mmCIF file with all atom_site columns, all heavy atoms in Angstrom:
data_model
loop_
_atom_site.group_PDB
_atom_site.id
_atom_site.type_symbol
_atom_site.label_atom_id
_atom_site.label_alt_id
_atom_site.label_comp_id
_atom_site.label_asym_id
_atom_site.label_entity_id
_atom_site.label_seq_id
_atom_site.pdbx_PDB_ins_code
_atom_site.Cartn_x
_atom_site.Cartn_y
_atom_site.Cartn_z
_atom_site.occupancy
_atom_site.B_iso_or_equiv
_atom_site.pdbx_formal_charge
_atom_site.auth_seq_id
_atom_site.auth_comp_id
_atom_site.auth_asym_id
_atom_site.auth_atom_id
_atom_site.pdbx_PDB_model_num
ATOM   1   N N   . ARG P 1 14  ? -22.883 -3.572 8.549  1.00 0.00 ? 14  ARG P N   1
ATOM   2   C CA  . ARG P 1 14  ? -22.902 -3.539 10.045 1.00 0.00 ? 14  ARG P CA  1
ATOM   3   C C   . ARG P 1 14  ? -23.492 -2.170 10.509 1.00 0.00 ? 14  ARG P C   1
ATOM   4   O O   . ARG P 1 14  ? -24.688 -2.145 10.877 1.00 0.00 ? 14  ARG P O   1
ATOM   5   C CB  . ARG P 1 14  ? -21.467 -3.768 10.535 1.00 0.00 ? 14  ARG P CB  1
ATOM   6   C CG  . ARG P 1 14  ? -21.428 -4.125 12.026 1.00 0.00 ? 14  ARG P CG  1
ATOM   7   C CD  . ARG P 1 14  ? -21.531 -2.998 12.967 1.00 0.00 ? 14  ARG P CD  1
ATOM   8   N NE  . ARG P 1 14  ? -20.439 -1.987 12.910 1.00 0.00 ? 14  ARG P NE  1
ATOM   9   C CZ  . ARG P 1 14  ? -20.465 -0.816 13.536 1.00 0.00 ? 14  ARG P CZ  1
ATOM   10  N NH1 . ARG P 1 14  ? -21.471 -0.493 14.252 1.00 0.00 ? 14  ARG P NH1 1
ATOM   11  N NH2 . ARG P 1 14  ? -19.498 0.052  13.343 1.00 0.00 ? 14  ARG P NH2 1
ATOM   12  N N   . ASP P 1 15  ? -22.821 -1.053 10.393 1.00 0.00 ? 15  ASP P N   1
ATOM   13  C CA  . ASP P 1 15  ? -23.345 0.178  10.905 1.00 0.00 ? 15  ASP P CA  1
ATOM   14  C C   . ASP P 1 15  ? -24.536 0.569  10.023 1.00 0.00 ? 15  ASP P C   1
ATOM   15  O O   . ASP P 1 15  ? -25.571 1.074  10.493 1.00 0.00 ? 15  ASP P O   1
ATOM   16  C CB  . ASP P 1 15  ? -22.275 1.284  10.815 1.00 0.00 ? 15  ASP P CB  1
ATOM   17  C CG  . ASP P 1 15  ? -22.301 2.201  12.041 1.00 0.00 ? 15  ASP P CG  1
ATOM   18  O OD1 . ASP P 1 15  ? -23.308 2.218  12.747 1.00 0.00 ? 15  ASP P OD1 1
ATOM   19  O OD2 . ASP P 1 15  ? -21.296 2.902  12.256 1.00 0.00 ? 15  ASP P OD2 1
ATOM   20  N N   . HIS P 1 98  ? -12.578 -6.193 14.945 1.00 0.00 ? 98  HIS P N   1
ATOM   21  C CA  . HIS P 1 98  ? -12.763 -4.779 15.206 1.00 0.00 ? 98  HIS P CA  1
ATOM   22  C C   . HIS P 1 98  ? -13.281 -4.667 16.631 1.00 0.00 ? 98  HIS P C   1
ATOM   23  O O   . HIS P 1 98  ? -14.461 -4.876 16.853 1.00 0.00 ? 98  HIS P O   1
ATOM   24  C CB  . HIS P 1 98  ? -13.713 -4.209 14.207 1.00 0.00 ? 98  HIS P CB  1
ATOM   25  C CG  . HIS P 1 98  ? -13.851 -2.705 14.216 1.00 0.00 ? 98  HIS P CG  1
ATOM   26  N ND1 . HIS P 1 98  ? -14.844 -2.060 13.506 1.00 0.00 ? 98  HIS P ND1 1
ATOM   27  C CD2 . HIS P 1 98  ? -13.110 -1.729 14.839 1.00 0.00 ? 98  HIS P CD2 1
ATOM   28  C CE1 . HIS P 1 98  ? -14.745 -0.776 13.698 1.00 0.00 ? 98  HIS P CE1 1
ATOM   29  N NE2 . HIS P 1 98  ? -13.704 -0.573 14.458 1.00 0.00 ? 98  HIS P NE2 1
ATOM   30  N N   . TYR P 1 140 ? -11.350 0.482  18.081 1.00 0.00 ? 140 TYR P N   1
ATOM   31  C CA  . TYR P 1 140 ? -12.118 1.731  18.032 1.00 0.00 ? 140 TYR P CA  1
ATOM   32  C C   . TYR P 1 140 ? -12.250 2.407  19.360 1.00 0.00 ? 140 TYR P C   1
ATOM   33  O O   . TYR P 1 140 ? -12.498 1.744  20.381 1.00 0.00 ? 140 TYR P O   1
ATOM   34  C CB  . TYR P 1 140 ? -13.529 1.531  17.386 1.00 0.00 ? 140 TYR P CB  1
ATOM   35  C CG  . TYR P 1 140 ? -14.485 0.674  18.207 1.00 0.00 ? 140 TYR P CG  1
ATOM   36  C CD1 . TYR P 1 140 ? -15.271 1.213  19.278 1.00 0.00 ? 140 TYR P CD1 1
ATOM   37  C CD2 . TYR P 1 140 ? -14.590 -0.679 17.907 1.00 0.00 ? 140 TYR P CD2 1
ATOM   38  C CE1 . TYR P 1 140 ? -16.123 0.399  19.934 1.00 0.00 ? 140 TYR P CE1 1
ATOM   39  C CE2 . TYR P 1 140 ? -15.470 -1.499 18.617 1.00 0.00 ? 140 TYR P CE2 1
ATOM   40  C CZ  . TYR P 1 140 ? -16.251 -0.943 19.601 1.00 0.00 ? 140 TYR P CZ  1
ATOM   41  O OH  . TYR P 1 140 ? -17.129 -1.749 20.324 1.00 0.00 ? 140 TYR P OH  1
ATOM   42  N N   . GLU P 1 142 ? -14.639 4.514  20.882 1.00 0.00 ? 142 GLU P N   1
ATOM   43  C CA  . GLU P 1 142 ? -15.926 5.082  20.640 1.00 0.00 ? 142 GLU P CA  1
ATOM   44  C C   . GLU P 1 142 ? -16.091 6.440  21.266 1.00 0.00 ? 142 GLU P C   1
ATOM   45  O O   . GLU P 1 142 ? -15.650 6.753  22.357 1.00 0.00 ? 142 GLU P O   1
ATOM   46  C CB  . GLU P 1 142 ? -16.992 4.087  21.253 1.00 0.00 ? 142 GLU P CB  1
ATOM   47  C CG  . GLU P 1 142 ? -18.381 4.443  20.681 1.00 0.00 ? 142 GLU P CG  1
ATOM   48  C CD  . GLU P 1 142 ? -19.459 3.545  21.272 1.00 0.00 ? 142 GLU P CD  1
ATOM   49  O OE1 . GLU P 1 142 ? -19.164 2.793  22.271 1.00 0.00 ? 142 GLU P OE1 1
ATOM   50  O OE2 . GLU P 1 142 ? -20.583 3.557  20.814 1.00 0.00 ? 142 GLU P OE2 1
ATOM   51  N N   . ASN P 1 168 ? -9.246  3.221  14.991 1.00 0.00 ? 168 ASN P N   1
ATOM   52  C CA  . ASN P 1 168 ? -10.429 3.892  14.489 1.00 0.00 ? 168 ASN P CA  1
ATOM   53  C C   . ASN P 1 168 ? -10.825 4.991  15.460 1.00 0.00 ? 168 ASN P C   1
ATOM   54  O O   . ASN P 1 168 ? -10.912 4.807  16.651 1.00 0.00 ? 168 ASN P O   1
ATOM   55  C CB  . ASN P 1 168 ? -11.535 2.815  14.393 1.00 0.00 ? 168 ASN P CB  1
ATOM   56  C CG  . ASN P 1 168 ? -12.851 3.412  13.927 1.00 0.00 ? 168 ASN P CG  1
ATOM   57  O OD1 . ASN P 1 168 ? -12.905 4.560  13.533 1.00 0.00 ? 168 ASN P OD1 1
ATOM   58  N ND2 . ASN P 1 168 ? -13.908 2.614  13.992 1.00 0.00 ? 168 ASN P ND2 1
ATOM   59  N N   . PRO P 1 170 ? -13.719 7.207  15.908 1.00 0.00 ? 170 PRO P N   1
ATOM   60  C CA  . PRO P 1 170 ? -15.036 7.542  15.522 1.00 0.00 ? 170 PRO P CA  1
ATOM   61  C C   . PRO P 1 170 ? -15.605 8.843  16.107 1.00 0.00 ? 170 PRO P C   1
ATOM   62  O O   . PRO P 1 170 ? -15.403 9.127  17.275 1.00 0.00 ? 170 PRO P O   1
ATOM   63  C CB  . PRO P 1 170 ? -15.917 6.383  16.061 1.00 0.00 ? 170 PRO P CB  1
ATOM   64  C CG  . PRO P 1 170 ? -14.937 5.371  16.516 1.00 0.00 ? 170 PRO P CG  1
ATOM   65  C CD  . PRO P 1 170 ? -13.675 6.044  16.871 1.00 0.00 ? 170 PRO P CD  1
ATOM   66  N N   . THR P 1 172 ? -18.651 9.384  16.873 1.00 0.00 ? 172 THR P N   1
ATOM   67  C CA  . THR P 1 172 ? -19.824 8.583  17.024 1.00 0.00 ? 172 THR P CA  1
ATOM   68  C C   . THR P 1 172 ? -21.082 9.386  16.980 1.00 0.00 ? 172 THR P C   1
ATOM   69  O O   . THR P 1 172 ? -22.135 8.926  16.489 1.00 0.00 ? 172 THR P O   1
ATOM   70  C CB  . THR P 1 172 ? -19.720 7.830  18.392 1.00 0.00 ? 172 THR P CB  1
ATOM   71  O OG1 . THR P 1 172 ? -18.441 7.115  18.367 1.00 0.00 ? 172 THR P OG1 1
ATOM   72  C CG2 . THR P 1 172 ? -20.835 6.880  18.614 1.00 0.00 ? 172 THR P CG2 1
ATOM   73  N N   . HIS P 1 203 ? -14.102 7.482  11.070 1.00 0.00 ? 203 HIS P N   1
ATOM   74  C CA  . HIS P 1 203 ? -15.429 6.843  11.174 1.00 0.00 ? 203 HIS P CA  1
ATOM   75  C C   . HIS P 1 203 ? -16.377 7.954  11.611 1.00 0.00 ? 203 HIS P C   1
ATOM   76  O O   . HIS P 1 203 ? -16.379 8.335  12.766 1.00 0.00 ? 203 HIS P O   1
ATOM   77  C CB  . HIS P 1 203 ? -15.371 5.695  12.145 1.00 0.00 ? 203 HIS P CB  1
ATOM   78  C CG  . HIS P 1 203 ? -16.739 4.993  12.336 1.00 0.00 ? 203 HIS P CG  1
ATOM   79  N ND1 . HIS P 1 203 ? -16.929 3.648  11.912 1.00 0.00 ? 203 HIS P ND1 1
ATOM   80  C CD2 . HIS P 1 203 ? -17.909 5.410  12.785 1.00 0.00 ? 203 HIS P CD2 1
ATOM   81  C CE1 . HIS P 1 203 ? -18.195 3.348  12.184 1.00 0.00 ? 203 HIS P CE1 1
ATOM   82  N NE2 . HIS P 1 203 ? -18.749 4.366  12.722 1.00 0.00 ? 203 HIS P NE2 1
ATOM   83  N N   . HIS P 1 205 ? -20.089 10.174 11.741 1.00 0.00 ? 205 HIS P N   1
ATOM   84  C CA  . HIS P 1 205 ? -21.561 10.114 11.607 1.00 0.00 ? 205 HIS P CA  1
ATOM   85  C C   . HIS P 1 205 ? -22.001 11.475 11.139 1.00 0.00 ? 205 HIS P C   1
ATOM   86  O O   . HIS P 1 205 ? -21.348 12.455 11.281 1.00 0.00 ? 205 HIS P O   1
ATOM   87  C CB  . HIS P 1 205 ? -22.159 9.599  12.915 1.00 0.00 ? 205 HIS P CB  1
ATOM   88  C CG  . HIS P 1 205 ? -22.082 8.109  12.997 1.00 0.00 ? 205 HIS P CG  1
ATOM   89  N ND1 . HIS P 1 205 ? -23.130 7.309  12.571 1.00 0.00 ? 205 HIS P ND1 1
ATOM   90  C CD2 . HIS P 1 205 ? -21.143 7.254  13.421 1.00 0.00 ? 205 HIS P CD2 1
ATOM   91  C CE1 . HIS P 1 205 ? -22.787 6.016  12.792 1.00 0.00 ? 205 HIS P CE1 1
ATOM   92  N NE2 . HIS P 1 205 ? -21.558 5.965  13.272 1.00 0.00 ? 205 HIS P NE2 1
HETATM 93  O O1  . LIG Q 2 .   ? -19.887 5.026  15.589 1.00 0.00 ? 1   LIG Q O1  1
HETATM 94  C C1  . LIG Q 2 .   ? -19.158 4.303  16.248 1.00 0.00 ? 1   LIG Q C1  1
HETATM 95  O O2  . LIG Q 2 .   ? -18.516 4.676  17.218 1.00 0.00 ? 1   LIG Q O2  1
HETATM 96  C C2  . LIG Q 2 .   ? -19.107 2.916  15.873 1.00 0.00 ? 1   LIG Q C2  1
HETATM 97  C C3  . LIG Q 2 .   ? -18.128 2.035  16.532 1.00 0.00 ? 1   LIG Q C3  1
HETATM 98  C C4  . LIG Q 2 .   ? -18.790 0.817  17.100 1.00 0.00 ? 1   LIG Q C4  1
HETATM 99  C C5  . LIG Q 2 .   ? -17.019 1.652  15.598 1.00 0.00 ? 1   LIG Q C5  1
HETATM 100 O O3  . LIG Q 2 .   ? -19.835 2.492  14.965 1.00 0.00 ? 1   LIG Q O3  1
#
Side-chain angles (χ1 to χ4, degrees):
R14 199 279 297 170
D15 221 340
H98 188 191
Y140 64 85
E142 194 181 10
N168 180 7
T172 305
H203 179 114
H205 280 266

